[in-house]
Amino acid sequence: MDPWRTAIATSDATNIWVRGHAVTSLMREATFTDMIVLLHLGRLPSPGERRLLDAVLIGVADHGSGAPSCATARLAASGNRASISSAVAAGILAIGDDHGGAGSNCMELIAEGLGAAARDGLTPAAAAARTVDGAVAARRRLPGLGHRVHTTDPRVKVLFDMARAEGVAGDGIAFMEALEAEARTRIKPLPMNIDGALAAVLHDMGFPPPAGKFIFIIGRVAGLTAEVAEEYLREKPMRIKFDVQYDGVPPRRE
Amino acid sequence: MDPWRTAIATSDATNIWVRGHAVTSLMREATFTDMIVLLHLGRLPSPGERRLLDAVLIGVADHGSGAPSCATARLAASGNRASISSAVAAGILAIGDDHGGAGSNCMELIAEGLGAAARDGLTPAAAAARTVDGAVAARRRLPGLGHRVHTTDPRVKVLFDMARAEGVAGDGIAFMEALEAEARTRIKPLPMNIDGALAAVLHDMGFPPPAGKFIFIIGRVAGLTAEVAEEYLREKPMRIKFDVQYDGVPPRRE
Amino acid sequence: MDPWRTAIATSDATNIWVRGHAVTSLMREATFTDMIVLLHLGRLPSPGERRLLDAVLIGVADHGSGAPSCATARLAASGNRASISSAVAAGILAIGDDHGGAGSNCMELIAEGLGAAARDGLTPAAAAARTVDGAVAARRRLPGLGHRVHTTDPRVKVLFDMARAEGVAGDGIAFMEALEAEARTRIKPLPMNIDGALAAVLHDMGFPPPAGKFIFIIGRVAGLTAEVAEEYLREKPMRIKFDVQYDGVPPRRE
Amino acid sequence: MDPWRTAIATSDATNIWVRGHAVTSLMREATFTDMIVLLHLGRLPSPGERRLLDAVLIGVADHGSGAPSCATARLAASGNRASISSAVAAGILAIGDDHGGAGSNCMELIAEGLGAAARDGLTPAAAAARTVDGAVAARRRLPGLGHRVHTTDPRVKVLFDMARAEGVAGDGIAFMEALEAEARTRIKPLPMNIDGALAAVLHDMGFPPPAGKFIFIIGRVAGLTAEVAEEYLREKPMRIKFDVQYDGVPPRRE
């Protein structure tokens, strides 16, 4: 275990550097979103990339207190009000493949689809068609398409329009748009969701697939902290959920 | 940070020892509850202490899916089904001063009360009366008394009867019984709850105050794991709580 | 999300039941290990099963402060001493496929192997041979075999001897012993580890594969709580790991 | 527990609003840092406030892999590589009063000091002198002053210069500067650290004391995610810390 190696941050008695940049320079000249790109990609973003990542982070920050991550954070806060980090961490623990994690899976789909396309000289659209074929044959759901609440996710168009206006749109967006169109024809209308749009945009910025979850978590922490702060301010400790129906073996009377 | 020191466990290529005992001997001869005592107190329990700690652990293991710890674990499981440890950890994070943590606070109250009593030559009952005086004067709630659901917590009498039958009952139990009686006279009927009984029993076994939380967590993990297992088996992913009422500033129409 | 259903616990104003048993009866008559079986399997264990599960839980409780789970818990405790549940939860979060999670994967291997064997009328040994064939062909590692520290894991023999003496040994143990023998012949000597032994024993007691992780977590929490208690007692806050070597892009001088 | 109330976010089939703003408008026009202010304070920041909060978030994002939060996240990642959210959550759990939490405590000190000053008609400097008197009398450490690694924390001057240039500097900064000067005279040179500077700046922007921890967590998550990503990319699973010295009771030989 010892010593550890890192290429992220180092410091001496009076300086801290991240990816080689003095933190003090970054504090003067960069935005937090720049810092996220620097930490993860080792370079600062272009202005267009910065705007796009800002939009992604805003888009996933909060969607209502009833989402698993927010509700988990509030319940943990309710039992353990003295520990802010416990409640935020509990909220993050609800993030996974079923909630907030589809972006990573979708980025893998994009990377695989476009990788195969590059080897075989296909367009992104042809690659997407092949991906839908595979999903239909294997009866597998396609990540990034479909939504429980929204018929049309309003955030998708905003992201893609912005990506085009800023010159960031690339094969990832082309692939996901073709995927949505193919799925509509071959399966049923499954409008792209924020995970799919986030995946396309992050792919086109050069992020690797795990970043789908990392970026979702970074954005959602802004919302989780606000939800926990509101729980402390507005609610009494110790929420108990009373509408639980017991349907197990009957209680033994003694 | 290096090297670390520990007095808990060590091993060589073919042996593991905990508190000096070979793990293989413990596996053959001890119970898990013995192991908990050995890990925390550095000694094995008497048969009576073992029975009493078994009863404490059973008493706090599960009390219904709607308690903050269980509901938090189930919600985390709902969003992130691939990670068993995430859901269990989220449940533990809901445990704090407001849920499952009163035992530790109550153990501190007992230790302070009995410590002051020893200095001043008071009985546990007199010490408890002084503690109630202090709480009334400071308008402070007494940990270990009162319950949201139960008028009488059925687990208290079982623990105290068992402690007396097994010869484990000591000043901690005497103090808590006097505290309940004094509070009934001076404040209002506040029946002792499981946290108060757990605190008294653990005090009389020689555990320090933080053990109130540690032992609660150990017991509750048995229930949390079962709750998470049931969530996976019986429910679909991604529970969303829909009955959330928004009462913030009105949505802007654009 | 509402109402929730559960078959685990229910209560009224003066009683709590778990799997239909009054908690007060369990407190008087059962051990904590019985309670774990009751919560997870819906039935109480035989005396032999109880002894075996005690041995499993003891065997995984603690193995040294340097294991990822224990070191994670101690570091979290070091930065955040006010929150006991945070440190314990952090330790649990280090438990996964790479640490403490092989038991679940091994239980799936056993269930698949024996399931296929039952369909094809094979003995457990023949099923194990087929499993090794598959792993060799796919260049896949076999969970439950091999260990980083121990040449022979001393806990394996204890568990299997006890399982035989108590009449609990079944096809799971037979399968894992055959797997170890086949792997020695076909691959190289890979002594069975505690995860493999735990998997065989839990399989033979009727636990489903996820229980490999659940039971490991329950046992390890006993050790994690002791490690955290020792961290508070013996160490100052805020351990910083100083032997970190930076090998990234050179710091920019300004 | 039902229904829940919130003033943060709401949505219908095609829109999401946060604090009354359409998320799609925010995505087009705001930065992620704006969103953090909106979520926590219910209003968008001024350009100067935005720049200052960007600087705060950059300043706390990462300081080296050996800090408790980063080391905890990496160890958790090492044992449980399949779960991104587990590792990030574990890192957050190391954040508390001893690491990253001093900002909140310092904000409480500022609020108390300035509150008392307002009642008694004192200047911030006179209030700071009184706070130092109190700390000296009670032998209490002053949060926000002193650092384990840096003789001068380079981030403090950057933040305060920027706060003055942007017109955001207020009584919080005046109080903390007076506190540092008083402590130097009355106790010893204790240079202000990033927690103290963060506290002063957040106070002057109107954040309540718990925001000290919330904002630290939001900034640090950017670093934690990068540390975890690096752990996956560069290291093998299952780091074990081998330099642990056992100093407990001697192992029993059997």
Side-chain angles (χ1 to χ4, degrees):
Chain A
M1 166 165 157
D2 301 302
W4 286 10
R5 304 173 302 157
T6 185
I8 300 174
T10 190
S11 62
D12 63 20
T14 55
N15 295 280
I16 305 165
W17 293 269
V18 170
R19 303 285 188 194
H21 294 253
V23 162
T24 43
S25 302
L26 294 167
M27 290 170 73
R28 280 192 214 95
E29 294 155 23
T31 74
F32 182 44
T33 299
D34 290 335
M35 184 70 166
I36 295 167
V37 176
L38 180 63
L39 279 160
H40 278 271
L41 297 183
R43 63 171 179 86
L44 290 165
S46 70
E49 289 176 321
R50 177 198 304 132
R51 286 204 57 201
L52 211 53
L53 188 58
D54 272 321
V56 166
L57 291 164
I58 290 170
V60 300
D62 202 336
H63 192 179
S65 307
S69 54
C70 295
T72 298
R74 294 187 80 135
L75 278 177
S78 177
N80 185 8
R81 286 167 80 98
S83 176
I84 282 175
S85 50
S86 291
V88 179
I92 289 173
L93 292 174
I95 297 172
D97 288 345
D98 307 293
H99 172 46
S104 279
N105 299 335
C106 194
M107 287 178 80
E108 279 171 16
L109 196 79
I110 295 171
E112 283 169 25
L114 292 175
R119 284 194 301 277
D120 301 350
L122 301 179
T123 62
R130 206 155 70 173
T131 299
V132 173
D133 285 345
V136 168
R139 298 170 155 277
R140 211 171 40 228
R141 293 182 54 186
L142 289 163
L145 303 185
H147 201 283
R148 252 157 262 253
V149 178
H150 299 294
T151 49
T152 303
D153 191 312
R155 298 166 290 183
V156 176
K157 182 173 158 39
V158 174
L159 276 185
F160 284 5
D161 285 353
M162 191 181 289
R164 289 205 168 87
E166 300 287 355
V168 179
D171 283 353
I173 289 181
F175 180 89
M176 283 305 297
E177 290 185 329
L179 194 78
E180 184 186 31
E182 283 289 330
R184 183 181 303 114
T185 314
R186 304 279 313 278
I187 306 172
K188 66 175 179 179
L190 287 165
M192 198 183 309
N193 55 40
I194 182 71
D195 300 310
L198 167 154
V201 164
L202 294 181
H203 174 91
D204 287 345
M205 286 179 66
F207 282 97
K213 278 191 185 123
F214 286 128
I215 297 296
F216 183 91
I217 290 173
I218 295 170
R220 182 52 56 103
V221 162
L224 290 176
T225 51
E227 297 279 345
V228 171
E230 189 185 59
E231 179 74 22
Y232 293 147
L233 274 179
R234 297 188 63 176
E235 306 299 335
K236 289 190 192 151
M238 198 56 193
R239 289 191 197 246
I240 295 174
K241 181 170 172 57
F242 287 106
D243 54 343
V244 175
Q245 289 178 351
Y246 178 74
D247 59 5
V249 295
R252 301 184 183 196
R253 302 289 160 178
E254 293 174 12
Chain B
M1 162 166 158
D2 300 303
W4 286 10
R5 303 173 303 156
T6 186
I8 299 175
T10 191
S11 61
D12 63 21
T14 55
N15 296 279
I16 306 163
W17 293 269
V18 170
R19 302 287 188 195
H21 294 254
V23 162
T24 43
S25 302
L26 294 167
M27 290 169 74
R28 280 192 214 96
E29 294 154 24
T31 74
F32 183 45
T33 300
D34 291 334
M35 185 71 167
I36 295 167
V37 175
L38 180 64
L39 279 160
H40 278 271
L41 298 183
R43 64 170 179 85
L44 290 165
S46 69
E49 289 176 322
R50 178 197 305 132
R51 286 204 57 199
L52 211 53
L53 188 58
D54 272 320
V56 166
L57 292 163
I58 290 170
V60 300
D62 202 335
H63 191 179
S65 307
S69 53
C70 295
T72 299
R74 295 187 78 134
L75 279 176
S78 177
N80 185 8
R81 287 167 79 97
S83 175
I84 282 175
S85 50
S86 291
V88 178
I92 288 173
L93 292 173
I95 297 172
D97 287 345
D98 306 294
H99 172 46
S104 279
N105 299 336
C106 194
M107 287 178 81
E108 279 171 15
L109 196 79
I110 296 171
E112 283 168 25
L114 292 176
R119 284 194 300 279
D120 301 350
L122 301 180
T123 61
R130 207 155 68 174
T131 300
V132 173
D133 285 346
V136 169
R139 298 169 155 278
R140 211 172 38 229
R141 291 183 55 185
L142 289 163
L145 302 186
H147 201 283
R148 251 156 264 253
V149 178
H150 298 294
T151 49
T152 303
D153 191 312
R155 298 167 290 184
V156 176
K157 183 174 156 40
V158 174
L159 276 185
F160 283 7
D161 286 352
M162 191 181 291
R164 290 206 168 88
E166 300 288 355
V168 178
D171 283 355
I173 289 181
F175 180 89
M176 284 304 297
E177 289 185 329
L179 194 78
E180 184 187 32
E182 284 289 331
R184 184 182 302 116
T185 314
R186 305 279 314 279
I187 307 171
K188 66 174 178 181
L190 287 165
M192 199 183 309
N193 55 40
I194 183 71
D195 300 311
L198 168 152
V201 164
L202 294 181
H203 174 91
D204 287 346
M205 286 179 65
F207 282 97
K213 279 191 184 124
F214 287 128
I215 297 296
F216 184 91
I217 290 172
I218 295 170
R220 182 51 57 102
V221 163
L224 290 176
T225 50
E227 297 279 344
V228 171
E230 188 184 60
E231 179 74 20
Y232 293 147
L233 273 179
R234 298 189 61 175
E235 306 299 334
K236 289 190 192 150
M238 198 59 192
R239 290 190 195 247
I240 295 175
K241 181 171 172 56
F242 287 105
D243 54 342
V244 175
Q245 290 178 352
Y246 177 76
D247 59 5
V249 297
R252 300 182 183 196
R253 303 288 160 178
E254 292 178 9
Chain C
M1 163 165 157
D2 300 301
W4 285 10
R5 303 174 303 157
T6 186
I8 300 175
T10 191
S11 61
D12 63 22
T14 54
N15 296 279
I16 306 164
W17 294 267
V18 170
R19 301 288 188 194
H21 294 254
V23 163
T24 43
S25 302
L26 294 166
M27 290 170 74
R28 280 193 213 96
E29 294 154 24
T31 74
F32 183 43
T33 300
D34 291 334
M35 185 70 166
I36 294 167
V37 176
L38 180 63
L39 279 159
H40 277 272
L41 297 183
R43 63 169 179 86
L44 290 166
S46 70
E49 289 177 321
R50 177 198 304 133
R51 286 205 56 201
L52 211 54
L53 187 58
D54 273 321
V56 166
L57 292 164
I58 291 170
V60 300
D62 202 335
H63 192 179
S65 306
S69 54
C70 295
T72 299
R74 294 188 78 134
L75 279 176
S78 177
N80 185 7
R81 286 167 80 96
S83 176
I84 283 175
S85 51
S86 291
V88 178
I92 288 174
L93 292 173
I95 297 172
D97 287 345
D98 307 293
H99 172 46
S104 279
N105 299 335
C106 194
M107 287 178 80
E108 280 171 13
L109 197 78
I110 296 172
E112 284 169 24
L114 292 177
R119 285 193 301 278
D120 301 351
L122 301 180
T123 62
R130 207 153 70 173
T131 300
V132 173
D133 285 345
V136 169
R139 299 170 155 277
R140 210 172 39 228
R141 292 182 55 186
L142 289 162
L145 303 185
H147 200 283
R148 250 157 265 253
V149 179
H150 299 295
T151 49
T152 304
D153 191 313
R155 298 167 290 183
V156 175
K157 182 174 157 41
V158 174
L159 275 186
F160 284 5
D161 285 352
M162 191 180 291
R164 290 206 169 88
E166 300 288 355
V168 178
D171 283 354
I173 289 181
F175 180 89
M176 284 304 297
E177 290 185 329
L179 194 78
E180 184 186 32
E182 283 289 330
R184 184 182 302 116
T185 313
R186 305 279 315 277
I187 307 171
K188 65 174 178 180
L190 287 165
M192 199 183 310
N193 55 40
I194 183 70
D195 300 311
L198 168 153
V201 164
L202 293 182
H203 174 91
D204 287 345
M205 285 179 66
F207 282 97
K213 279 191 184 123
F214 286 128
I215 297 296
F216 184 91
I217 290 173
I218 295 171
R220 182 50 58 102
V221 163
L224 290 176
T225 51
E227 297 279 344
V228 171
E230 189 184 58
E231 179 74 21
Y232 293 148
L233 273 179
R234 298 189 61 176
E235 306 299 334
K236 289 189 191 150
M238 197 58 193
R239 290 190 196 247
I240 295 174
K241 180 169 173 56
F242 286 105
D243 55 342
V244 174
Q245 290 177 351
Y246 178 74
D247 59 5
V249 297
R252 300 183 183 197
R253 304 287 160 179
E254 293 177 9
Chain D
M1 163 166 157
D2 301 301
W4 286 10
R5 304 173 302 158
T6 185
I8 299 174
T10 191
S11 62
D12 63 20
T14 56
N15 296 280
I16 306 164
W17 294 269
V18 169
R19 303 287 188 193
H21 293 254
V23 163
T24 43
S25 301
L26 294 167
M27 290 170 73
R28 279 192 215 96
E29 295 154 24
T31 74
F32 183 44
T33 300
D34 290 336
M35 184 71 166
I36 294 167
V37 176
L38 180 63
L39 279 160
H40 278 270
L41 297 183
R43 63 171 179 85
L44 289 165
S46 70
E49 289 178 320
R50 177 199 303 134
R51 287 204 55 201
L52 211 53
L53 187 58
D54 273 320
V56 166
L57 292 164
I58 290 170
V60 300
D62 202 336
H63 192 179
S65 308
S69 54
C70 295
T72 298
R74 293 187 79 133
L75 279 177
S78 177
N80 185 7
R81 286 167 80 98
S83 176
I84 283 175
S85 50
S86 291
V88 179
I92 289 174
L93 292 173
I95 297 172
D97 287 345
D98 308 293
H99 172 47
S104 279
N105 299 335
C106 195
M107 287 178 80
E108 279 171 15
L109 197 79
I110 296 171
E112 283 168 26
L114 292 176
R119 283 194 301 278
D120 302 350
L122 302 179
T123 62
R130 207 155 70 172
T131 299
V132 173
D133 286 345
V136 169
R139 297 169 156 279
R140 210 172 39 228
R141 292 183 54 185
L142 289 162
L145 302 185
H147 201 282
R148 252 156 262 253
V149 178
H150 299 294
T151 50
T152 304
D153 191 313
R155 298 167 290 183
V156 175
K157 183 174 157 41
V158 175
L159 276 185
F160 284 5
D161 285 353
M162 191 181 290
R164 289 205 169 87
E166 301 287 355
V168 178
D171 283 353
I173 289 180
F175 180 89
M176 283 304 297
E177 290 185 329
L179 194 78
E180 184 186 32
E182 284 289 330
R184 184 182 302 114
T185 314
R186 305 279 312 280
I187 308 172
K188 65 175 179 180
L190 287 165
M192 198 182 310
N193 55 40
I194 183 71
D195 300 310
L198 167 153
V201 165
L202 294 181
H203 174 91
D204 287 346
M205 286 179 65
F207 282 96
K213 279 192 184 123
F214 286 128
I215 296 296
F216 183 92
I217 290 172
I218 295 170
R220 181 53 55 103
V221 163
L224 290 176
T225 50
E227 297 279 344
V228 171
E230 190 185 59
E231 179 74 20
Y232 293 147
L233 273 179
R234 298 189 62 176
E235 306 299 336
K236 289 189 192 149
M238 196 60 193
R239 289 190 196 248
I240 295 175
K241 181 170 172 57
F242 287 105
D243 54 342
V244 174
Q245 290 177 351
Y246 178 75
D247 59 5
V249 297
R252 300 183 182 196
R253 302 288 160 179
E254 293 175 10

